[in-house]
């Protein structure tokens, strides 16, 4: 059930805030945890979908979208492509992570869902893509949608260990 | 005609303005498992001993318990709380378990030798499913997390109790109520 997930995540964030005090550190820690999850979650994704390599970055965007469908049961929309085609946004109408969540005023710098940026970065790194991603809008901060910006940085070469090609 | 702006600040929509979710959303099991694994690792990095780790997990569980109590009472029970000991235990075993883990707990037992003690038994606990306990930490039980949830729910319902997790016929949660709770329940029965 998604509520167990939501509440577990909430308990984790609350604990981090208690432990760190500095909100920036909490953001960082969440990103790191997400990264650890991402590098393992990608295996699951590839095994379930049987999808091959991404053809281009648009293809990547669609696969990320389907990943959200598989794992969180939501379909963010893909919008705001940059002219060069190396940046896009994922817009979330609803987000299982933020159900029941209300940010107190003293947490205005907290990126509550920052774990997602880590997950995406970790997962993409495992398929030899370095990406950067960050939140530009957040429903918890009274924006209409939650917007996650994803940017292609570079292809990672030589990531295959010797003897495994 | 352009709309008239009266206030420059958009009103904050509070969480209480939204309707209560039905709680039917699903996320993949891998998501929960990986998140829980991160949570356990995080706790582990901040403690030295196994009992400390279990306490920490129970604390985190309690956070969930505090929140789930009101949610379930409002949604599943029409806002009515249980006042009888047995009913509150059944509430935990059925309603709470179902909404958190998708099914009821397997068994609810009363200890023969102690009227304060009850056991909730689960053959395969969700939180233990993906955990392989390292040899040097033999007694570790991540179900402490669930025990924390149960304890918080019982305490919030007005039945102070101590809940611990054990390896026995799968995973067993031992619920030990305060003496006062048992005494009060007896009084209710006498009337």
């Amino acid at each position: 059930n998604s509520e167990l997930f939501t509440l577990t995540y909430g308990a984790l964030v609350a604990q981090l805030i208690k432990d760190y005090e500095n909100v920036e550190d909490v953001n960082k820690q969440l990103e790191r945890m997400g990264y650890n999850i991402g590098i393992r979650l990608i295996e699951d994704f590839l095994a379930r979908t049987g999808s091959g390599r991404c053809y281009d970055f648009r293809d990547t965007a669609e696969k990320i979208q389907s990943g959200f469908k598989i794992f969180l049961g939501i379909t963010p929309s893909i919008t705001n492509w940059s002219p060069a085609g190396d940046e896009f946004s994922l817009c979330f109408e609803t987000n299982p992570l933020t159900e029941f969540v209300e940010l107190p005023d003293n947490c205005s710098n907290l990126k509550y869902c920052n774990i997602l940026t880590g997950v995406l970065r970790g997962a993409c790194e495992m398929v030899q893509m370095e990406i950067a991603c960050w939140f530009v809008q957040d429903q918890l901060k009274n924006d209409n949608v939650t917007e996650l910006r994803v940017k292609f940085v570079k292809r990672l070469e030589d990531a295959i260990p010797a003897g495994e090609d | 005609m352009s709309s008239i702006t009266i206030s420059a600040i958009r009103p904050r929509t509070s969480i209480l303005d939204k309707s209560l979710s039905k709680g039917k959303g699903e996320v993949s099991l891998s998501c929960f498992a990986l998140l829980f694994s991160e949570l356990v690792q995080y706790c582990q990095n901040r403690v030295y001993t196994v009992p400390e780790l279990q306490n920490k997990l129970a604390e985190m569980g309690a956070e969930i318990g505090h929140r789930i109590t009101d949610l379930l009472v409002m949604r599943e029970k029409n806002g009515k709380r249980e006042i009888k000991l047995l009913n509150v235990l059944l509430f935990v075993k059925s309603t709470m378990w179902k909404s958190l883990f998708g099914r009821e707990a397997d068994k609810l037992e009363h200890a023969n030798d102690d009227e304060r003690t009850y056991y909730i038994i689960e053959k395969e606990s969700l939180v233990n499913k993906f955990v392989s306990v390292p040899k040097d930490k033999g007694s570790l039980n991540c179900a402490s997390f669930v025990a924390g949830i149960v304890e918080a729910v019982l305490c919030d319902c007005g039945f102070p109790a101590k809940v611990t997790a054990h390896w026995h016929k799968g995973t067993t949660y031992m619920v030990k109520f305060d003496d006062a709770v048992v005494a009060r329940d007896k009084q209710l029965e006498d009337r």
Side-chain angles (χ1 to χ4, degrees):
Chain A
N1 183 310
S2 70
E3 279 172 2
L4 178 63
F5 179 72
T6 311
L7 291 167
T8 306
Y9 184 67
L12 180 66
V13 176
Q15 184 67 45
L16 287 175
I17 291 174
K18 240 184 265 167
D19 290 346
Y20 283 98
E21 285 173 11
N22 183 349
V23 174
E24 284 306 317
D25 290 341
V26 176
N27 291 339
K28 244 180 252 163
Q29 177 68 23
L30 283 175
E31 208 269 349
R32 191 153 64 215
M33 287 176 155
Y35 176 78
N36 293 338
I37 293 176
I39 57 181
R40 294 169 73 179
L41 202 62
I42 186 73
E43 305 261 348
D44 202 336
F45 176 77
L46 294 175
R48 278 178 204 229
T49 58
S51 64
R53 290 195 162 275
C54 292
Y55 171 70
D56 57 16
F57 204 46
R58 279 174 196 271
D59 193 15
T60 311
E62 275 160 31
K63 286 198 170 126
I64 290 176
Q65 189 185 35
S66 74
F68 274 104
K69 179 91 199 101
I70 293 171
F71 293 114
L72 293 183
I74 47 170
T75 315
S77 53
I78 303 169
T79 54
N80 296 343
W81 276 98
S82 67
D86 65 341
E87 257 185 75
F88 64 90
S89 290
L90 291 164
C91 285
F92 301 83
E93 295 281 332
T94 55
N95 183 348
L97 281 180
T98 60
E99 208 180 335
F100 310 130
V101 177
E102 193 170 36
L103 284 187
D105 290 333
N106 61 352
C107 290
S108 54
N109 285 326
L110 177 70
K111 293 175 187 139
Y112 187 84
C113 299
N114 218 26
I115 199 160
L116 290 180
T117 62
V119 172
L120 287 187
R121 186 169 70 88
C124 287
E125 193 173 306
M126 288 298 115
V127 288
Q128 280 111 47
M129 272 193 314
E130 188 178 322
I131 59 155
C133 62
W134 61 94
F135 283 99
V136 272
Q137 292 191 74
D138 192 341
Q139 277 167 327
L140 291 176
K141 294 177 184 151
N142 253 354
D143 293 322
N144 281 327
V145 289
T146 298
E147 182 181 349
L148 181 62
R149 193 87 182 139
V150 184
K151 181 184 168 60
F152 178 79
V153 179
K154 64 167 191 257
R155 255 193 76 158
L156 298 168
E157 302 288 347
D158 300 320
I160 307 163
E164 269 194 35
D165 43 355
Chain B
M1 199 180 92
S2 64
S3 64
I4 306 160
T5 311
I6 295 175
S7 163
I9 314 156
R10 202 163 8 139
R12 266 178 88 101
T13 43
S14 147
I15 192 163
L16 297 174
D17 295 333
K18 295 184 207 158
S19 56
L20 195 59
S21 80
K22 299 244 171 18
K24 293 278 184 268
E26 293 290 331
V27 298
S28 118
L29 183 55
S30 350
C31 272
F32 176 75
L34 287 169
L35 177 68
F36 186 68
S37 127
E38 284 300 316
L39 186 146
V40 174
Q41 285 176 49
Y42 173 75
C43 291
Q44 197 180 0
N45 286 336
R46 302 192 142 246
V47 297
Y48 297 103
T49 64
V50 171
E52 272 180 336
L53 174 57
Q54 299 198 147
N55 283 344
K56 191 113 182 152
L57 287 174
E59 265 172 44
M60 306 270 264
E63 292 277 327
I64 296 176
H66 292 315
R67 283 167 179 78
I68 202 84
T69 314
D70 284 338
L71 177 67
L72 291 180
V73 168
M74 287 310 287
R75 194 163 59 198
E76 318 276 343
K77 294 273 167 198
N78 281 326
K80 285 209 183 91
R81 287 176 187 258
E82 304 293 349
I83 53 169
K84 288 248 176 77
L85 185 75
L86 194 58
N87 290 350
V88 85
L89 281 168
L90 286 172
F91 169 73
V92 167
K93 176 196 181 248
S94 312
T95 314
M96 189 203 95
W97 233 271
K98 225 190 235 156
S99 90
L100 286 184
F101 308 115
R103 59 188 168 83
E104 291 190 13
D106 295 315
K107 265 187 218 154
L108 173 65
E109 286 178 6
H110 190 181
N112 293 326
D113 49 350
D114 182 8
E115 56 177 2
R116 295 194 300 144
T117 309
Y118 289 81
Y119 301 104
I120 300 171
I121 301 167
E122 202 179 20
K123 277 196 209 76
E124 193 182 52
S125 171
L126 180 68
V127 285
N128 277 331
K129 202 168 177 181
F130 301 103
V131 177
S132 46
V133 181
K135 282 218 175 61
D136 57 323
K137 298 195 177 61
S139 61
L140 172 69
N141 198 334
C142 290
S144 297
F145 182 71
V146 180
I149 301 181
V150 175
E151 185 173 310
V153 169
L154 289 175
C155 292
D156 290 358
C157 286
F159 294 81
K162 204 76 213 130
V163 183
T164 46
H166 304 270
W167 295 106
H168 179 70
K169 298 184 195 165
T171 306
T172 297
Y173 306 94
M174 186 168 80
V175 183
K176 244 185 165 49
F177 287 103
D178 281 8
D179 288 320
V181 173
V182 179
R184 185 184 61 194
D185 204 57
K186 279 226 176 83
Q187 254 180 356
L188 270 178
E189 248 162 56
D190 290 344
R191 276 203 300 204

